[in-house]
Amino acid sequence: MTVIGVAMLIFILQAALESGKWFANDRNVGEIAGKGVPVEEFDARVKQGLENVKRQSQQTTVDPGTEDMIVQQTWTQMINEIVYSKEYEKLGISVSEDELYDLMLVHPDRYVIQQFTDRETGRINKDFMDPQTGQLDVKKLKALVEQMNEQQEQAWSELEKAVKQSRIAVKYNNLIKKGLYVTTLEAKQDYIAQNKQFSVRYVEKKYNAVPDSTIKVTDADLTAYYNEHQNDYQQEQETRKAEYISYDVVTAPEDIETIKSDMSRVAEEFKGRNRTEDSAYVIAEADSRTFDLSLHKKGSLSPEIDSLMFSEPVGFVYGPYMENNSYKVAKLIDEKMLADSVKARHALIAFKGAMRAAPTVTRTKAQAKAKADSLFKLINEKKIKFEDANQLSDDAVSKLKTGDMGWFNESAQLAVPFKDGALAAKKGEVIVVESDFGYHIIEVTDRSKKETKYVQVAIIDRKIEPSTKTVQNYYSKAGEFAGKYKTAEAFQKAVEDRKLSKRVADNVKEGDKTIAGLESPREFVRWMYNDKTKKGSVSDVFEMGNKFVVAVLTEIRPKGIAALDLVRDQVEPKAREKKKMELFSDEFNKNLTGANLDALAQKMQLHVEKMDNLSFNTYSIPGAGREDYLVGTAVSMKAASVSKPIPGHSGVFILALDNIKDAPVAKDYKNIQTQTASALQSRVDNEVFDALKDNAKIVDKKAKYY
């Protein structure tokens, strides 16, 4: 959806300028351990990462999700380099040239293996696979390295850096792991915590037993609770809150009629097009811009057209008809009788950029077609045998079997043009077909007698969507609102007076890329964090998918302990719960006589629950959930004693400890020592990095640029 108009263009330019995306005084994307990270250096690394992904996936573009991932990976890598490098220097940790060579070309590191692994199958690329083991063939890898071009050498150099960095990190973390030791006493304590059991009975009065409406909470109660629990409201980074109204663009009835009328024109023109003109016409008129080359058997087309396309003559046009929020026109382009199965062999002539083409393939698409056509001609003129053409194939696997594909049918997992072409060919016929992999020279060596009718159908689609005029009308409404109500008070009053639906974007961080219910809200987030945006500021119009949004910034919650006013909604239920806890505790103290839990439960109309196998490591209490206070109290009590009221997560408890069963005597604690040490060591890789990162006082400003 695009809005045409000078006002929108000015707004977009203004938003980009104010966001700092193009022109920023601070040219750093952040600070790591007091060192600024220049945007130019960071951006160069991001671009290199994107190029690596494109090359590996053999695609020309990268989706926004992958781009975000590369940005974050680059940031983490730079933190890693700067934070860890000081530690490595202190300890003298390094990777020698011989060691790096071994990690790259003798015993390839996991990063190297990843570069030659097919993302779809999870297997090594066939051109670099050892056919005996299915693993990466180091001989083929060395051969590639010896004939790399400049671009490949640069990528290899970056890979070496990553492998070296990874290896040094492993050495550093292993040093720390080796320094972690669990004593016999610690192992014994852990053993007892797991195996010493307590038989308990308890009575619980749940907080939800008393309606919230009956418990009044004063400002003094809120302040008292907040002051006691301030650390519970600690924010690791700043967040902001905005309220907004949304003008959702809806297709007008006249828009639908206009689209239908135009598709009637398309249907008439389509009837007059001949076979050679069909593909160009479809691509020119269809919103999808695609001409479907695949063949369909009966039952595989849309129910609206399936029967028609198998009963009408070639050239038949149907429509316009509505399907999946689009008007469509369908034309029967061709019909063929395909064999149910064929046996075939093939040779592949790939070109640079084709799917799964080896890095050594440098020919252009035109050169590949010319070569395939030449071989096709030589085979048909019987100047060469098919086996000779196959030896020039770029499909290394098919070479081993002289291109033999064996028998296959229409359900085979093969490229559609390849499959359809082979099934339509006669026995002994040689054909050339193009697919995403290149040009296939195919010879059908055998063919089943049974045939099935298939049809090729071209479909022109036109999405039912608002016209430019309709979009402009909605934009004008949003623009009128934004221009008229420029203060928070005016915004809120207008929403109320106009009976508009107001929505909330809460706890938004500067780097957030998503907001529930809004499409591509990045500029909205940038506005919320712009230096010129203050609490109470009202935005201009944001275009997000099929919505026009006008917002007011209602809260700024700085990093650190949030002020009571900002967390009042969170504090109030906790303060009310505390008052219930005090009320229930008084009830327990008043009604408890000696150690008689049964009498207590009867007086308070509660139940006595029992648990025989409670231990220090007990995670959950049946019917109550996680109750650490209850567990901690139980393991610290003496047998045949009753506790004071215990405040829990779900309610208030009174606990009676009936019996203690000591842990069986163990011969030694070596297994426990090993298990506990292993558990500690497993935390090193993540927690050491987090600790060093926290100590580095990192300032992240990436959101101003990405």
Side-chain angles (χ1 to χ4, degrees):
M1 180 176 67
T2 304
V3 176
I4 300 174
V6 176
M8 177 55 96
L9 178 60
I10 292 173
F11 167 67
I12 293 172
L13 290 172
Q14 180 183 4
L17 290 168
E18 290 180 353
S19 72
K21 174 80 173 176
W22 295 338
F23 304 105
N25 294 325
D26 183 358
R27 298 297 293 170
N28 288 331
V29 294
E31 293 179 12
I32 303 171
K35 179 181 178 181
V37 180
V39 65
E40 293 82 5
E41 177 186 349
F42 186 82
D43 199 51
R45 289 197 182 200
V46 170
K47 287 177 179 176
Q48 182 61 53
L50 293 172
E51 288 304 315
N52 291 341
V53 170
K54 290 176 187 176
R55 183 167 54 252
Q56 189 174 1
S57 62
Q58 298 186 343
Q59 296 178 347
T60 57
T61 59
V62 175
D63 62 86
T66 301
E67 185 171 352
D68 289 344
M69 180 188 72
I70 295 298
V71 169
Q72 191 54 48
Q73 284 180 348
T74 304
W75 180 244
T76 301
Q77 184 181 12
M78 296 196 78
I79 293 173
N80 202 320
E81 290 174 8
I82 295 171
V83 170
Y84 270 121
S85 62
K86 295 181 179 179
E87 302 296 313
Y88 301 154
E89 289 172 12
K90 289 178 191 175
L91 298 169
I93 301 174
S94 63
V95 173
S96 68
E97 290 299 320
D98 289 343
E99 187 178 1
L100 182 60
Y101 180 84
D102 182 82
L103 291 167
M104 299 298 293
L105 293 170
V106 181
H107 301 97
D109 181 87
R110 62 187 177 90
Y111 284 114
V112 178
I113 294 172
Q114 283 175 4
Q115 298 301 312
F116 296 90
T117 299
D118 189 308
R119 288 189 174 187
E120 293 181 6
T121 65
R123 301 178 64 189
I124 298 296
N125 186 296
K126 61 185 178 182
D127 294 320
F128 294 94
M129 181 194 293
D130 183 331
Q132 301 300 320
T133 65
Q135 303 301 311
L136 180 62
D137 191 325
V138 293
K139 292 181 180 179
K140 294 178 181 178
L141 183 60
K142 289 177 182 177
L144 171 65
V145 172
E146 289 172 0
Q147 59 181 6
M148 280 182 173
N149 57 35
E150 184 178 348
Q151 185 181 19
Q152 290 170 331
E153 286 179 354
Q154 184 179 355
W156 186 257
S157 177
E158 291 298 320
L159 183 58
E160 284 184 330
K161 290 179 183 178
V163 170
K164 188 174 183 179
Q165 184 95 24
S166 173
R167 184 59 181 165
I168 292 176
V170 168
K171 290 183 177 183
Y172 177 78
N173 287 341
N174 283 343
L175 278 176
I176 296 173
K177 289 175 184 178
K178 294 296 183 183
L180 294 173
Y181 179 73
V182 177
T183 67
T184 304
L185 179 59
E186 289 174 316
K188 182 177 180 180
Q189 290 174 335
D190 195 26
Y191 172 78
I192 292 172
Q194 293 180 43
N195 294 283
K196 187 176 182 179
Q197 295 186 344
F198 302 82
S199 295
V200 300
R201 290 175 298 121
Y202 60 89
V203 175
E204 179 190 12
K205 182 164 184 178
K206 293 186 177 294
Y207 295 128
N208 61 15
V210 173
D212 287 350
S213 58
T214 64
I215 306 296
K216 304 302 179 184
V217 179
T218 66
D219 287 342
D221 295 327
L222 294 176
T223 301
Y225 184 87
Y226 171 78
N227 289 338
E228 292 173 7
H229 301 85
Q230 285 192 25
N231 287 335
D232 292 347
Y233 306 102
Q234 179 85 23
Q235 288 203 152
E236 295 299 321
Q237 62 185 104
E238 182 178 323
T239 63
R240 299 194 174 193
K241 176 182 177 182
E243 296 177 353
Y244 64 92
I245 58 167
S246 172
Y247 290 87
D248 297 356
V249 181
V250 179
T251 307
E254 53 267 32
D255 296 338
I256 297 174
E257 285 303 313
T258 299
I259 295 168
K260 183 178 180 181
S261 174
D262 192 51
M263 288 299 281
S264 296
R265 170 194 62 81
V266 167
E268 288 303 312
E269 291 182 359
F270 209 4
K271 292 175 184 176
R273 293 289 189 277
N274 59 44
R275 179 68 185 274
T276 59
E277 299 171 322
D278 283 338
S279 61
Y281 187 72
V282 170
I283 292 171
E285 292 288 349
D287 279 355
S288 61
R289 296 289 186 265
T290 56
F291 182 72
D292 186 8
L293 294 171
S294 57
L295 297 171
H296 303 271
K297 66 179 179 179
K298 190 167 179 58
S300 64
L301 290 167
S302 161
E304 180 82 20
I305 62 173
D306 191 75
S307 295
L308 286 169
M309 294 302 161
F310 281 88
S311 59
E312 297 292 339
V314 171
F316 170 71
V317 174
Y318 177 72
Y321 63 97
M322 189 182 292
E323 184 178 76
N324 298 328
N325 199 42
S326 294
Y327 270 113
K328 296 182 178 181
V329 172
K331 182 176 182 178
L332 179 59
I333 300 295
D334 198 4
E335 58 184 30
K336 291 182 179 180
M337 299 300 294
L338 301 191
D340 279 13
S341 61
V342 297
K343 185 180 182 184
R345 55 182 179 174
H346 89 121
L348 173 66
I349 309 300
F351 52 85
K352 186 176 181 180
M355 188 177 292
R356 298 182 190 170
T360 52
V361 175
T362 58
R363 69 176 71 91
T364 64
K365 186 175 182 180
Q367 290 171 335
K369 185 177 188 307
K371 183 174 181 178
D373 289 342
S374 175
L375 291 171
F376 167 75
K377 183 178 180 182
L378 291 171
I379 294 170
N380 278 333
E381 293 175 353
K382 302 189 183 307
K383 293 181 178 179
I384 65 171
K385 296 180 179 179
F386 190 90
E387 291 85 344
D388 299 325
N390 178 256
Q391 291 309 301
L392 300 174
S393 175
D394 291 312
D395 185 347
V397 175
S398 72
K399 266 188 185 181
L400 299 175
K401 301 183 293 181
T402 322
D404 187 13
M405 300 290 293
W407 285 91
F408 58 88
N409 56 26
E410 62 92 18
S411 64
Q413 297 298 309
L414 297 170
V416 171
F418 179 100
K419 183 170 53 180
D420 289 347
L423 290 170
K426 298 176 182 178
K427 181 178 179 179
E429 186 178 359
V430 178
I431 60 174
V432 176
V433 298
E434 178 190 350
S435 79
D436 293 336
F437 298 92
Y439 290 92
H440 304 266
I441 305 168
I442 306 170
E443 181 185 22
V444 175
T445 56
D446 206 350
R447 190 176 196 269
S448 67
K449 292 182 179 180
K450 187 177 180 181
E451 295 181 325
T452 302
K453 183 178 179 180
Y454 283 74
V455 296
Q456 182 187 0
V457 179
I459 295 177
I460 298 174
D461 62 318
R462 193 70 54 79
K463 188 177 180 181
I464 297 173
E465 60 183 3
S467 65
T468 300
K469 180 181 177 182
T470 298
V471 173
Q472 189 64 51
N473 286 340
Y474 279 98
Y475 172 70
S476 296
K477 291 179 182 178
E480 181 265 337
F481 186 98
K484 191 172 183 179
Y485 307 108
K486 297 300 292 181
T487 66
E489 294 76 14
F491 181 99
Q492 302 294 1
K493 188 174 187 304
V495 168
E496 187 177 339
D497 291 346
R498 295 188 177 197
K499 295 181 172 54
L500 299 175
S501 176
K502 185 173 63 176
R503 302 171 191 178
V504 177
D506 201 3
N507 294 315
V508 178
K509 302 178 183 66
E510 188 174 12
D512 284 352
K513 302 291 178 70
T514 59
I515 294 177
L518 296 178
E519 182 180 326
S520 302
R522 196 70 195 99
E523 291 305 321
F524 181 23
V525 175
R526 283 200 175 102
W527 168 80
M528 292 174 72
Y529 279 88
N530 192 292
D531 292 339
K532 294 181 180 179
T533 305
K534 310 298 180 185
K535 182 178 178 180
S537 294
V538 177
S539 73
D540 291 317
V541 181
F542 293 103
E543 181 181 0
M544 286 180 263
N546 65 340
K547 305 175 189 291
F548 290 111
V549 169
V550 181
V552 56
L553 188 69
T554 55
E555 284 185 12
I556 298 175
R557 300 169 183 151
K559 177 181 178 181
I561 297 174
L564 174 57
D565 288 346
L566 298 179
V567 292
R568 188 182 185 92
D569 291 345
Q570 300 171 50
V571 173
E572 188 170 335
K574 290 295 184 181
R576 182 177 289 108
E577 187 177 280
K578 182 183 177 183
K579 295 195 78 170
K580 288 185 182 182
M581 182 268 291
E582 293 168 349
L583 178 64
F584 295 174
S585 295
D586 289 342
E587 282 188 72
F588 276 133
N589 288 329
K590 179 181 177 181
N591 290 293
L592 180 62
T593 303
N596 195 336
L597 258 61
D598 292 318
L600 172 69
Q602 188 174 4
K603 285 181 184 179
M604 296 181 65
Q605 297 183 335
L606 299 172
H607 300 284
V608 177
E609 305 292 345
K610 187 176 182 181
M611 187 174 182
D612 289 326
N613 58 349
L614 184 142
S615 73
F616 182 76
N617 287 354
T618 297
Y619 183 81
S620 181
I621 304 298
R626 183 167 184 172
E627 291 292 353
D628 297 332
Y629 283 130
L630 187 147
V631 173
T633 301
V635 300
S636 63
M637 290 171 60
K638 294 180 180 180
S641 62
V642 176
S643 72
K644 294 179 180 179
I646 305 167
H649 297 299
S650 61
V652 178
F653 299 84
I654 286 287
L655 177 71
L657 177 58
D658 295 331
N659 184 47
I660 300 174
K661 184 180 179 182
D662 288 328
V665 176
K667 292 181 180 179
D668 62 59
Y669 301 99
K670 289 181 180 179
N671 286 339
I672 299 293
Q673 280 180 285
T674 301
Q675 292 171 10
T676 306
S678 178
L680 285 172
Q681 290 168 1
S682 68
R683 295 161 53 186
V684 167
D685 292 344
N686 291 325
E687 294 187 18
V688 168
F689 179 63
D690 289 341
L692 290 172
K693 189 170 67 171
D694 290 343
N695 196 45
K697 298 179 181 178
I698 292 167
V699 179
D700 186 348
K701 302 177 185 176
K702 297 194 308 299
K704 294 184 181 296
Y705 299 92
Y706 298 93

